Amino acid sequence: MQGDTPERFMAFHRYPNTQSDADRAFPYEDARLKRSVDHYRYATPSGDRAVTDVPLVRQAYPDTTPFNAGWRRTGTPELVHLYYHYNDHVEVAPTLARLSGLTADELERSRFEGLVLFKIHNYGSAPIVRMEVNGTALDIGDRPLRASRSRPSIAPPTAFLPVLH
């Protein structure tokens, strides 16, 4: 997961268990990264105890309070943490998880204010691996948006990316 191959994505869920959190080393508390986590630790491929730590640069959590009035599910939308690996540091960007098509349709029909849903297709020459709107990272899924040399004859794929404006 080094910074020289940005098109490589990995998506996974981490859940604590009694063994992984016996020493309180699990980095998350509920849906948020613990305040004490300030480095990203790379283990060696051999699995020995040698590790490499790099600084972890955090972006702010999105404000989910606008969802309190109109969100028709329990809780608020799921948060995800996007990790961008560079040679000398790792950036973590907490953001709203992508919405399912059904949820996006419900929000659109209810005229939920402040939510922007948009479609994207990459006509550039390189894959899009990181997107930000107004300084907030967006979850584009577990693979980059591949470049397309020519415009498709059909509508581009829809990505329901929530942006609170």
Side-chain angles (χ1 to χ4, degrees), residues 38-56:
D38 59 0
H39 279 76
Y40 189 92
R41 176 169 287 179
Y42 289 99
T44 59
S46 65
D48 62 14
R49 294 225 180 251
V51 295
T52 303
D53 282 351
V54 295
L56 187 68

Side-chain angles (χ1 to χ4, degrees), residues 63-77 107 110-114 164:
D63 179 13
T64 59
T65 53
F67 281 99
N68 294 342
W71 191 249
R72 295 187 177 152
R73 291 169 168 51
T74 58
T76 55
L107 288 172
S110 72
R111 302 208 184 284
F112 189 82
E113 290 187 26
L164 287 173

Side-chain angles (χ1 to χ4, degrees), residues 109-122:
R109 277 194 307 273
S110 72
R111 302 208 184 284
F112 189 82
E113 290 187 26
L115 185 70
V116 177
L117 301 174
F118 62 92
K119 299 176 183 181
I120 185 167
H121 193 77
N122 181 7

Side-chain angles (χ1 to χ4, degrees), residues 30-105:
D30 297 323
R32 294 181 176 249
L33 197 58
K34 291 178 180 174
R35 290 182 190 267
S36 60
V37 177
D38 59 0
H39 279 76
Y40 189 92
R41 176 169 287 179
Y42 289 99
T44 59
S46 65
D48 62 14
R49 294 225 180 251
V51 295
T52 303
D53 282 351
V54 295
L56 187 68
V57 177
R58 295 172 178 244
Q59 289 187 356
Y61 277 91
D63 179 13
T64 59
T65 53
F67 281 99
N68 294 342
W71 191 249
R72 295 187 177 152
R73 291 169 168 51
T74 58
T76 55
E78 180 184 4
L79 290 176
V80 295
H81 294 80
L82 308 175
Y83 289 82
Y84 300 105
H85 296 258
Y86 299 95
N87 291 334
D88 60 345
H89 70 283
V90 172
E91 287 185 34
V92 59
T95 191
L96 298 173
R98 288 176 302 144
L99 299 176
S100 71
L102 179 63
T103 302
D105 287 346

